[in-house]
Amino acid sequence: MHFVPNITFGHPVVESLRKQLGQDPFFDMHMMVSRPEQWVKPMAVAGANQYTFHLEATENPGALIKDIRENGMKVGLAIKPGTTVEYLAPWANQIDMALVMTVEPGFGGQKFMDDMMPKVHWLRTQFPSLDIEVDGGVGPDTIHKCAEAGANMIVSGSAIMRSEDPRSVINLLRNVCSEAAQKRSLDR
């Protein structure tokens, strides 16, 4: 397992965006860094709303969760494809969002990993009110699998940025997730 020591969009970028865009946008920081503890306070001060760290990148998830909360942010907890969802389960009641990576973290444009969907489904079954995010290879061709498995938060880069009509792709992703969530609530 390898995480980068530094970050691409650091707290100065977050601070600048917050100043330009005001308080409305929700900023979720996906921290694919080797020492996530060191960036909590700078991100909070810069205006981040949620701090998502990789379970594999810390020795003490409980202390990090507490620190994030004490700094006024929501908590996201990410797992890489090779990490079992059971490893995340003990923390699920202490976090706001679970992120199931659907590619190996590192670079955009990778192929979506279908075999991550049972993790999403298991989390949705065990923790019905938890926000569950998927990140990696998500677009019009894969969104239905994600939404049906239980994902309600979507990260989609290449599918949106490479599209002729990004707004329509965003609307499609949003609508598929909303419809799946409505169906789940009716099925209860």
Side-chain angles (χ1 to χ4, degrees):
M1 161 189 40
H2 178 72
F3 290 99
V4 295
N6 220 325
I7 49 185
T8 311
F9 294 103
H11 56 279
V13 174
V14 174
E15 185 177 12
S16 177
L17 286 169
R18 182 60 74 205
K19 282 181 182 158
Q20 289 296 312
L21 302 174
Q23 293 306 307
D24 278 348
F26 184 83
F27 292 163
D28 171 24
M29 306 296 107
H30 180 185
M31 306 301 291
M32 288 188 274
V33 294
S34 53
R35 291 182 43 237
E37 295 82 2
Q38 72 181 337
W39 301 106
V40 173
K41 185 161 286 305
M43 284 298 189
V45 170
N49 300 98
Q50 180 165 288
Y51 193 93
T52 301
F53 68 95
H54 276 265
L55 188 53
E56 306 91 348
T58 185
E59 296 288 312
N60 193 340
L64 185 48
I65 290 168
K66 185 173 184 283
D67 190 30
I68 294 165
R69 289 239 184 267
E70 287 173 355
N71 276 277
M73 293 180 288
K74 288 186 168 192
V75 179
L77 187 54
I79 55 171
K80 290 170 36 169
T83 302
T84 67
V85 74
E86 290 80 7
Y87 189 52
L88 182 147
W91 308 106
N93 289 317
Q94 298 176 46
I95 63 175
D96 299 289
M97 184 200 75
L99 166 54
V100 176
M101 293 297 299
T102 47
V103 297
E104 285 297 337
F107 60 94
Q110 295 184 60
K111 188 178 180 325
F112 177 80
M113 298 169 78
D114 288 272
D115 55 343
M116 295 300 111
M117 291 306 95
K119 292 181 184 183
V120 173
H121 183 260
W122 187 88
L123 283 167
R124 177 57 63 220
T125 305
Q126 299 298 312
F127 307 98
S129 61
L130 184 65
D131 279 329
I132 302 170
E133 182 175 82
V134 287
D135 180 356
V138 181
D141 298 338
T142 55
I143 187 61
H144 291 85
K145 291 174 186 171
C146 299
E148 286 163 18
N152 66 317
M153 292 179 77
I154 305 300
V155 175
S156 182
S158 299
I160 293 169
M161 301 311 284
R162 293 182 182 159
S163 168
E164 295 287 318
D165 186 0
R167 190 177 305 273
S168 72
V169 174
I170 292 168
N171 287 336
L172 171 72
L173 301 177
R174 183 178 286 137
N175 292 340
V176 170
C177 287
S178 294
E179 288 166 18
Q182 286 175 335
K183 186 180 183 310
R184 271 193 305 280
S185 66
L186 293 173
D187 290 347
R188 276 191 204 144

